[in-house]
């Protein structure tokens, strides 16, 4: 199963984390820190796999993808296929891209609530739920529609506005 | 931003982003949490919208790594909100913040169930997601039938059904009884006819989970699985949505092949034939292409096909095709494929005999050992380790030894262990084995555990032919200028035992050997000194007739160590001196060590132990592991018959052993009784016993060491000092920080660090409910080697019942273990309980006595009380011992708000305005204990604005002990204690000395005073 999904930037700032095996609030930052420690040392053009037995326990490994300023990380055990996990990251990112029209870090920072909703349509309780990004998009659009119909909609922060916050 | 529903959230996130450093971020977060807490607490009901906004913020703060210990009720209440947006955050936040063991969850089971059985599909999805993410046993029992219904319902939309399938999987894992296998296998087979690929993928995951638990029941699913796989592999009517970079739903293909790996065999010949055809097609039709995503997807399928083929032990030609493909993969540029190629090559080695084919790739594999990617280097190391046998052991081990010089720090330990194991398993001759291990110690001494050099000693002792060679090698290494201490140990030992065999060689006379060892003596640790002293005794034994000059030199060294501060060394020196003066009879007593009983290598045993399996292991890996452990036993002929029973493993106690051993044994037991407990199955411990080189020097001083905090140590300052200098090793391990400070912080907080040194960190998290509490200790090994003999002992004071859960005695490198301590408070007391914690790092024993933050205020619960209630209670508790008053001097100069904060921090609720005199503070709280249940406590502090160093304090409660203890407790908090020792200062002992003038009668303050 998938143990965790982590999105962080290249400076180690966490943008999204979801643990499918409960981790206490004390453990979480430490795990994130160690994942970052393992990733930031890795040069470009190496494999996407990192042994994470010393972080998440024996039999686990993590696969990550590095997009611009972001790391997308899936931690999983040996019941999953490594490359399939890598593909799933791609599905997740492609979905975000469709959602935010060329997704960038700022979108993710300000719409972290949306991120949770999207991830929930892809990974469910540590299992792959949906692999078609079009199908995920349909579900997410429905959620957005529902949010809007309830009186106080959560809409995306438009880029023009979020940009003003600067980094 | 007006159109954004949650402006507050965006502004908050933006504020956090603008924080220049962590400190500013913390301030901003604290401010926000304070605000949210007030809003949640305020009596005026919050609207669902406001709650929604705050819960998102809480979730964001939680993600930033701050513990948020409130707001759970508000979050849960959103689950039953009528609107989608609010319900959604309720569900999402609950699944992030709470875990399955959280009692709160029971509250919402009904709301969740209502959403699941309700007609609103989006609500069903939210509810299923929550259950699927955190559902525990409670959920499993109450919700499983409803979830099953959704999965098989024909009226539900796919989006609900695929979630129901995975939700059921989760519940099934928590409680397999929820699925009645009899009827369910048919249902599963029907579900495999599903047309929607999303649902089908989820159903396949469910099948994997079911089959991994019970293969027998789901045979009927095999043909359907193969059919679907065929359809996918041939790309027959696959919807565009599910074609990923041209590959028909790779995830589903992978899942099907995973499921098939759980069945031991596929018996139906037609099904097997179709399956093999599909596998063949996949293997033939996959090429490395330019598009990286397409590559990944197609190879995900390919590697799964390889795994399935290996599992089926397919016909020879498919297998050789697999190996050929893998050989291609380990040479490609694309690192992911190379990585998986190496990994799968290691796996294939374990299922079929393809050693010879794989050996052809040896050079290529060694090249991968130099890849810039550590992940690939590790896989290459694993593969080299796996493919090593008698024929290529020399090449591979030498390659690895060479690689040791340049290997990453993180890999060296593993590498050293692997070299040692391979050398032992496949040594073409024993002298080569000795060479390799000595080189290993020389190059990577820090990473060579005692097991490894002990094993060399065993081999040499048991093989007479080897002894002169080993002794000569040892001497060669001792000639080197810079030497790892482990090398000094092993060389000194070997030369002591076998040095005399070299006596005819030039430069190897007893005198010369003594001189060369003696050069190292001033620089080594006590553990090594002990070995060297034994060596000297042996040298004397073997020098017959005695050489007076040498004898004098050695005797003078023994004499020097007779007064040595370490007891073990002292005893050895005294005994060896006395023994060596006995003349010829010495030869019998200090004769050579007898042969060790043949036993299984501790190293090999260790490697097998670490290969423990996880619940989710695929069938293939399970099988490969079985084969792997068989392989270890069979190929290692020396150890195969070396398994001996525990009874035989106690030669130290046999009467026919020579005197040397006996005296050593005595030494050991004199030092400490602990050594008797050594695990008899581990040969290394036995050597430790025999030679008394391992345990005693550090165990021999098991009393309080330096990490002892405050009280205990200072009571016997001289004693403690003397002790701490005795054992240099323990003394060198100091806590990183101040134990007392950690303790004090934990008295107020419920989580934090209890203890930390360079090897270990003990974190603590406590949860208090009335008179009960649960403390969880998180014991983390920070080092890269295992901590052993981990022990925790709590001696509860009489006022507490404490129950400490079992603690594993070994903590693997970089691992954390948890230990749970349940506490019940029986009656009020200010005593503290002490946790006796000890562990061993290498041969160093570290002990710490840690006060546990189970203090009086943990059982207090602040309570607000109306003036009427307060005064009626205050009046009814009219005199000592229920109400006592004391004038306390030497108080810390605190402003009133500071004092109020201090009181709140120990759970006393200060009620402003209750006492009209602004210089006074009145507070109330409830104390919980088993003997007196919940008991109201009242407190009044009168301060003198002209003299902040004295106060008058009145404490009242319905129990005399509680009143007294609480008074003393608060006093300790308020007065200045030199060295932070919680001992009442003498000045505070003056009591009943009113200093404050009485005020007029209608003043409540005067009422309070007058009532005394």
């Amino acid at each position: 199963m998938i143990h965790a999904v982590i999105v962080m930037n290249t400076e180690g700032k966490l943008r999204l984390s979801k643990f499918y095996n409960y981790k206490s609030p004390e453990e979480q930052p430490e795990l994130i820190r160690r994942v970052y420690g393992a990733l930031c040392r890795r040069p470009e053009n190496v494999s996407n796999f990192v042994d994470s037995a010393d972080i998440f326990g024996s039999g686990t490994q993590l696969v990550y993808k590095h997009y611009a300023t972001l790391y997308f990380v899936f931690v999983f055990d040996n019941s999953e296929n490594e490359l399939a996990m890598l593909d799933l990251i791609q599905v997740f990112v492609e979905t975000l891209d469709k959602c935010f029209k060329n997704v960038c870090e700022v979108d993710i920072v300000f719409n972290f609530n949306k991120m949770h909703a999207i991830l929930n349509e892809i990974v469910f309780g540590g299992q792959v739920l949906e692999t078609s990004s079009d199908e995920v998009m349909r579900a997410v659009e429905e959620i957005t529609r529902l949010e809007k119909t309830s009186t106080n909609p959560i809409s995306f922060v438009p880029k023009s506005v979020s940009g003003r916050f600067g980094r | 931003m007006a159109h954004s529903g949650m402006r507050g959230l965006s502004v908050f996130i933006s504020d956090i982003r603008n924080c220049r450093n962590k400190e500013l971020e913390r301030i901003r977060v604290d401010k926000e949490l304070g605000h949210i807490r007030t809003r949640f607490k305020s009596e005026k009901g919050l609207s669902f919208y406001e709650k929604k906004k705050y819960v998102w913020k809480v979730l964001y703060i939680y993600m930033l790594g701050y513990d948020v210990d409130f707001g759970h009720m508000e979050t849960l209440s959103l689950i039953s909100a009528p609107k989608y947006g609010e319900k959604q955050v309720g569900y999402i936040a609950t699944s992030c913040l709470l875990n399955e063991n959280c009692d709160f969850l029971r509250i919402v089971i009904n709301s969740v169930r209502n959403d699941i059985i309700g007609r609103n599909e989006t609500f069903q999805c939210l509810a299923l997601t929550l259950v699927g993410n955190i559902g525990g046993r409670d959920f499993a029992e109450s919700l499983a039938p409803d979830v099953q219904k959704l999965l098989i319902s024909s009226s539900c939309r796919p989006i609900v059904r695929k979630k129901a399938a995975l939700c059921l999987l989760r519940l099934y894992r928590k409680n397999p009884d929820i699925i009645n296998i009899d009827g369910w296998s048919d249902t599963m087979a029907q579900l495999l006819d599903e047309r929607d690929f999303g649902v089908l993928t989820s159903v396949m995951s469910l099948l994997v989970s079911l089959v991994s638990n019970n293969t027998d029941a789901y045979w009927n699913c095999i043909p359907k699985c193969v059919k679907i796989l065929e359809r996918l592999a041939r790309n027959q009517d696959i919807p565009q949505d599910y074609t990923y970079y041209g590959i028909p739903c790779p995830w589903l293909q992978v899942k099907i092949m995973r499921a098939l790996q759980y069945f031991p065999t596929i018996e139906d010949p037609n099904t097997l034939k179709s399956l093999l055809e599909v596998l063949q097609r996949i293997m033939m039709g996959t090429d490395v292409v330019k598009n990286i995503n397409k590559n990944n997807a197609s190879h995900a399928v390919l590697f799964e096909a390889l795994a399935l083929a290996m599992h089926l032990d397919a016909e020879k030609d498919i297998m050789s095709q697999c190996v050929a493909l893998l050989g291609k993969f380990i040479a490609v540029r694309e690192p992911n494929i190379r990585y998986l190629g190496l990994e799968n090559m290691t796996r294939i080695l374990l299922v079929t005999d393809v050693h010879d084919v794989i050996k052809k790739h040896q050079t290529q594999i060694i090249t991968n050992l130099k890849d810039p990617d550590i992940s690939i280097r590790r896989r290459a190391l694993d593969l080299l380790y796996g493919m090593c046998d008698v024929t290529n052991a020399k090449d591979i081990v030498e390659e690895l030894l060479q690689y040791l010089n340049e290997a990453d720090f993180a890999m060296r330990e593993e590498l050293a262990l692997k070299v040692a194991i391979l050398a032992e398993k496949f040594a073409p001759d024993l002298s080569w084995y000795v060479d390799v291990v000595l080189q290993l110690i020389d190059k990577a001494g820090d990473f060579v555990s005692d097991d490894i050099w002990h094993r060399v000693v065993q081999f040499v002792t048991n093989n007479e032919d080897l002894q002169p060679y080993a002794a000569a090698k040892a001497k060669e290494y001792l000639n080197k200028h810079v030497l790892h201490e482990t090398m000094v140990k092993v060389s000194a030992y070997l030369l002591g035992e076998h040095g005399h065999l070299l006596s005819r060689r030039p430069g190897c006379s007893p005198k010369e050997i003594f001189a060369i060892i003696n050069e190292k003596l001033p620089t080594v640790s006590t553990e090594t000194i002990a070995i060297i002293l034994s060596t000297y005794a042996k040298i004397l034994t073997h020098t017959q007739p005695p050489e007076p000059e040498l004898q004098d030199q050695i005797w003078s060294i023994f004499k020097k160590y007779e007064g040595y501060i370490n007891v073990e060394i002292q005893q050895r020196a005294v005994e060896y001196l006395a023994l060596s003066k006995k003349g010829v009879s010495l030869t019998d007593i200090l004769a050579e060590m007898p042969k060790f009983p043949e036993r299984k290598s501790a190293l090999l045993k260790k490697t097998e132990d670490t290969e423990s399996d996880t619940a989710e292991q695929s069938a293939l890996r399970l099988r490969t592991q079985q084969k792997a452990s068989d392989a270890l036993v069979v190929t290692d002929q020396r150890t195969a018959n070396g398994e001996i029973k525990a009874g035989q493993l106690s030669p130290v106690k046999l009467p026919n052993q020579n005197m040397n051993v006996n005296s050593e044994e005595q030494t050991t037991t004199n030092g400490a009784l602990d050594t008797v407990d050594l695990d008899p199955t581990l040969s290394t411990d036995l050597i430790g016993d025999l030679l008394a080189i391992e345990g005693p020097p550090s165990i021999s001083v098991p009393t309080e060491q330096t990490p002892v905090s405050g009280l205990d140590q200072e009571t016997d300052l001289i004693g403690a000092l003397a002790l701490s200098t005795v054992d240099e090793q323990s003394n060198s391990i100091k806590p990183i920080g101040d134990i007392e400070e950690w303790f004090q912080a934990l008295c107020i907080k419920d989580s934090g660090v209890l203890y930390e040194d360079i090897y270990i960190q003990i974190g603590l998290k406590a949860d208090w409910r009335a008179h009960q509490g649960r403390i969880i200790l998180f014991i983390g090994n920070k080092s890269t080697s295992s901590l052993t003999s981990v022990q925790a002992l709590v001696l509860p004071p009489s006022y507490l019942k404490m129950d400490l859960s079992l603690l594993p005695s070994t903590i693997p490198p970089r691992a954390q273990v948890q230990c749970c301590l349940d506490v019940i408070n029986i009656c009020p007391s200010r005593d503290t309980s002490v946790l006796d914690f000890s562990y061993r790092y290498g041969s160093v024993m570290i002990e710490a006595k840690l006060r546990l933050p189970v203090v009086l205020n943990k059982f207090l619960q602040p309570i607000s009380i109306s003036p009427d209630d307060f005064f009626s209670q205050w009046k009814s508790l009219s005199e000592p011992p229920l109400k006592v008053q004391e004038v306390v001097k030497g108080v810390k100069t605190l402003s009133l708000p500071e004092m109020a904060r201090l009181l709140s921090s120990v759970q006393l609720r200060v009620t402003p305005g209750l006492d009209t005199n602004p210089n006074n503070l009145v507070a109330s709280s409830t104390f919980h204990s088993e003997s007196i249940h919940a008991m109201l406590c009242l407190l009044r502090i009168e301060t003198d604005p002209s003299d902040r160093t004295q106060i008058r304090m009145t404490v009242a409660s319905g129990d005399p002990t509680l009143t007294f203890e609480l008074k003393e407790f608060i006093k300790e908090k308020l007065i200045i204690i030199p060295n932070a020792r919680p001992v009442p200062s003498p000045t505070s002992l003056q009591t009943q000395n009113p200093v404050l003038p009485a005020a007029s009668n209608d003043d409540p303050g005067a009422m309070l005073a007058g009532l005394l």
Side-chain angles (χ1 to χ4, degrees), chain A residues 47 49 94 130 138 165-166, chain B residues 14 17 162 241 245 373 375:
Chain A
S47 73
F49 307 116
E94 283 178 14
E130 183 53 70
R138 277 193 276 279
F165 288 105
Chain B
S14 152
R17 269 168 50 95
K162 66 187 181 190
D241 277 3
Y245 289 93
D373 182 357
S375 304

Side-chain angles (χ1 to χ4, degrees), chain A residues 1-3 13-29 34 42-43 45-51 53-55 58-59 61 65 67 77-91 94 105-106 109-114 116-117 120-121 123-136 138-139 142-147 149-158 161-162 165-167, chain B residues 1 3-6 9-11 13-14 17-19 25 49 52 56 59-60 62-67 83-86 88 92 95-99 122 125 128-129 132-133 157 159 162-164 166-167 169-170 173 196 198 201-202 205 241-242 244-245 249-251 254-255 258 262 293 295-297 299-301 303-304 335-337 339-340 343 371-376 378-379 612 614 616-618 621 751 765 778 814 816 818:
Chain A
M1 73 176 276
I2 299 168
H3 290 242
K13 282 211 170 112
L14 188 61
R15 295 308 180 204
L16 175 78
S17 70
K18 178 101 183 161
F19 292 88
Y20 295 97
N21 273 341
Y22 180 77
K23 299 285 175 200
S24 72
E26 287 78 26
E27 289 170 275
Q28 289 187 16
R34 290 173 65 184
R42 292 179 63 76
N45 301 323
V46 292
S47 73
N48 299 87
F49 307 116
V50 176
D51 198 339
D54 54 342
I55 308 177
S58 80
Q61 57 176 312
K65 264 193 161 183
Y67 295 91
D77 59 31
N78 50 24
S79 68
E80 301 290 342
N81 179 303
E82 294 97 336
L83 285 173
M85 288 296 111
L86 197 57
D87 292 340
L88 204 60
I89 294 183
Q90 184 66 22
V91 171
E94 283 178 14
E105 194 181 340
V106 180
V109 173
F110 282 96
N111 293 294
F112 93 105
N113 46 350
K114 200 94 212 165
H116 274 283
N120 276 347
E121 295 301 321
V123 181
F124 180 107
Q127 300 289 332
V128 182
L129 174 66
E130 183 53 70
T131 58
S132 152
S133 72
D134 290 332
E135 194 61 38
V136 176
R138 277 193 276 279
E142 188 169 337
I143 291 171
T144 315
R145 188 179 55 74
L146 280 166
E147 284 167 348
T149 50
S150 55
T151 46
N152 295 295
I154 311 172
S155 60
F156 301 105
V157 178
V161 177
S162 60
F165 288 105
R167 285 201 60 182
Chain B
M1 193 85 75
H3 53 272
S4 164
M6 291 190 290
L9 178 64
S10 301
V11 169
I13 294 175
S14 152
R17 269 168 50 95
N18 290 334
C19 289
E25 181 187 295
Y49 165 69
K52 173 177 87 173
W56 273 123
L59 190 57
Y60 188 77
Y62 180 80
M63 186 186 80
L64 292 176
Y66 299 90
D67 191 3
K83 280 180 197 134
Y84 183 83
E86 284 122 28
Q88 182 200 30
I92 289 181
S95 71
C96 290
L97 300 173
L98 301 183
N99 70 354
T122 46
C125 285
L128 288 170
T129 307
N133 279 333
R157 275 172 57 201
I159 192 162
K162 66 187 181 190
K163 286 177 178 154
L166 293 181
C167 186
L169 185 164
R170 165 81 184 207
R173 289 230 174 107
D196 182 279
T201 309
S202 295
S205 296
D241 277 3
Y242 287 92
Y244 175 86
Y245 289 93
C249 202
W251 294 274
V254 164
K255 280 281 175 215
R258 236 343 123 94
Y262 280 98
N293 292 318
N295 240 353
N296 284 342
H299 284 81
V301 174
F303 278 110
E304 207 59 53
N336 287 335
I337 292 177
Y339 173 94
L340 292 169
E343 191 186 36
D371 194 88
D373 182 357
I374 186 169
S375 304
I376 288 181
R378 277 186 201 278
R379 290 294 88 84
S612 60
T614 58
E616 284 229 299
Q617 224 142 17
S618 72
R621 301 226 176 164
S751 61
K765 187 172 162 64
F778 300 89
R814 305 247 172 238
Q816 190 189 59
Q818 292 184 12

Side-chain angles (χ1 to χ4, degrees), chain B residues 377-513:
Chain B
R377 292 196 295 272
R378 277 186 201 278
R379 290 294 88 84
L381 174 61
D382 285 347
L383 178 53
L384 284 172
Y385 177 69
M387 65 190 278
C388 192
D389 61 19
V390 188
T391 62
N392 57 8
K394 266 192 162 163
D395 292 341
I396 289 184
V397 168
E398 268 148 37
E399 193 63 53
L400 294 182
L401 271 176
Q402 205 189 343
Y403 175 55
L404 200 54
N405 289 330
E406 57 206 82
D408 315 57
F409 203 69
M411 271 177 78
R412 284 195 190 180
E413 187 171 8
E414 194 189 344
L415 191 56
L417 186 68
K418 289 199 156 144
V419 167
I421 292 173
L422 291 179
E424 181 177 336
K425 269 169 80 174
F426 301 117
D429 59 83
L430 286 172
S431 56
W432 178 80
Y433 168 72
V434 172
D435 274 350
V436 168
V437 176
L438 291 181
Q439 271 190 61
L440 190 64
I441 297 173
D442 190 37
K443 286 185 169 173
D446 282 343
F447 301 101
V448 176
S449 64
D450 284 346
D451 299 349
I452 296 177
W453 80 263
H454 288 177
R455 193 74 180 146
V456 174
V457 166
Q458 276 178 39
F459 273 123
V460 175
T461 309
N462 290 6
N463 292 283
E464 278 170 36
D465 304 344
L466 196 58
Q467 289 165 0
Y469 180 79
K473 272 279 164 193
K475 168 141 189 310
E476 235 172 71
Y477 275 107
L478 275 184
N479 280 333
K480 283 180 73 166
H481 211 62
V482 183
L483 213 52
H484 193 272
E485 187 159 333
T486 306
M487 187 63 93
V488 179
K489 284 182 195 170
V490 66
S491 302
Y493 186 90
L494 289 174
L495 286 173
E497 287 292 322
H498 313 297
H500 62 282
L501 302 172
L502 306 177
S503 56
R504 294 212 186 126
R505 302 189 190 182
C508 292
S509 70
K511 231 159 101 184
E512 282 160 310
I513 287 179

Side-chain angles (χ1 to χ4, degrees), chain B residues 111-121 123-124 150 156:
Chain B
S111 315
V112 174
R113 177 155 193 267
N114 286 337
D115 282 338
I116 287 180
I117 58 176
R119 299 235 159 167
N120 186 326
E121 284 177 342
F123 289 3
Q124 285 176 330
L150 288 185
C156 272

